[in-house]
Amino acid sequence: MKIELRARSFDPLLEVGFYQSGLGELPGQCGATAIFIGTMRDFNEGEAVHRMMLEHYPGMTERHLQRIVEVAAREWPLLDALVIHRVGDLQPNDPIVLVAVWSAHRAAAFAACRFIMEELKSKAPFWKREETASGPRWVEHNTPG
Amino acid sequence: MKIELRARSFDPLLEVGFYQSGLGELPGQCGATAIFIGTMRDFNEGEAVHRMMLEHYPGMTERHLQRIVEVAAREWPLLDALVIHRVGDLQPNDPIVLVAVWSAHRAAAFAACRFIMEELKSKAPFWKREETASGPRWVEHNTPG
Amino acid sequence: MTIDVKYFGSLRDRLGRAEDRLDAVGELTVAGVWVALHPETPLPLNTLTAVNMECAEPTQTVRDGDEVAFFPPVTGG
Amino acid sequence: MTIDVKYFGSLRDRLGRAEDRLDAVGELTVAGVWVALHPETPLPLNTLTAVNMECAEPTQTVRDGDEVAFFPPVTGG
């Protein structure tokens, strides 16, 4: 299991491939990989967004991400999980979050990946400030999944 | 939207990256990518499996995969979708199926990815024959997701 | 009329061949195609059928030139 | 006792600073920490609170050395 905050842009597919290649015992046992990638859009709530700042609470954010993944691993039979989340300044099309989950069976992989994303969006301490044509604005709440 | 059958082993992450790089208008609109990768395990129903043959019905299989993706695209607001499915001889750890779905929002991406997988498993004409220590055997039915 | 018949999966293995061609006269259903080709072998339980690559009921009537397929439950993905 | 106080997101922007330090005597709750530092400003609706990086109710008592945080609803992912 790995949780990581990144201050710079990252390639989610490369990250999954790289992490996976280090999982020696996984091949053969793993029947299902579920991956979610959240990407910054260039519009939100009807307005063009050309930049975004992702603030977090150093220490608390990592702790809560870790806990979310641990809860998922108790709930479903996971072989492994990887969560990477951006912080700092982002541009449209930049990856914001990656959740990858490995399991023997697809039901567990799908459910755990979804669970981690929903928990992360509703509980992990991150705050988005968008730069729009009419100035900066804080995103007030996340939409339910 | 792309549907493909592959007679040789493929790298699902590379395929997603390659396909994605060809989607010119997608950046900026896409907020969510959901990916599922099904991989051949080295055990099934309590027995070690060292090889597998995936039979299909040429023509009917492609048609039904295409239809499943079209139904998903009518049900959810998808920006794009990619489905690649192996046929022929596989070894443990070989990817069997890749489903990737792009959407503005995560709920649609998750739901459509899951839907395509479940439909594919229950309706697309594929048949698995496993090689085990006690000889070859046909997989009789898929487990529900 | 002539019907092309295909078998897949374990059914193909069991029959020892992947296809048959049936020349017949009169009205015939999908189930009737099976009976005409395998008079001694009842259609195995759970067998699925397709006509021209679309899922079909065993009661569906076939026409000259149709492709009829018999196969066990699917196990892809 | 000394309490380290942190603000995040729009709340940090509104207050114009990311942290405060509060020196106080007697029993104090999380809500009391806010009142002591911002006597003129009611705690904005929907504000979430944490003590030592764990979510906390405004009624929770704080202790010397605690880190108390105030922030708006989270919007990550």
Side-chain angles (χ1 to χ4, degrees), chain D residues 27-72:
Chain D
E27 199 167 288
L28 206 58
T29 62
V30 170
V33 169
W34 178 272
V35 172
L37 288 164
H38 312 280
E40 320 266 282
T41 316
L43 189 66
L45 222 67
N46 293 329
T47 299
L48 303 172
T49 54
V51 174
N52 298 327
M53 300 187 181
E54 295 293 342
C55 300
E57 294 297 319
T59 53
Q60 186 174 320
T61 305
V62 298
R63 294 189 225 174
D64 184 41
D66 275 356
E67 177 174 294
V68 174
F70 297 93
F71 47 81

Side-chain angles (χ1 to χ4, degrees), chain B residues 69-84:
Chain B
V69 172
E70 285 166 7
V71 171
R74 275 198 300 273
E75 188 77 16
W76 293 281
L78 306 185
L79 293 165
D80 216 311
L82 170 67
V83 176
I84 300 178

Side-chain angles (χ1 to χ4, degrees), chain C residues 5 11 13 15 20 24 29 37 41 52 59 68 73 75:
Chain C
V5 181
L11 191 60
D13 259 13
L15 296 170
D20 271 323
T29 63
L37 289 164
T41 315
N52 298 328
T59 53
V68 173
T75 56

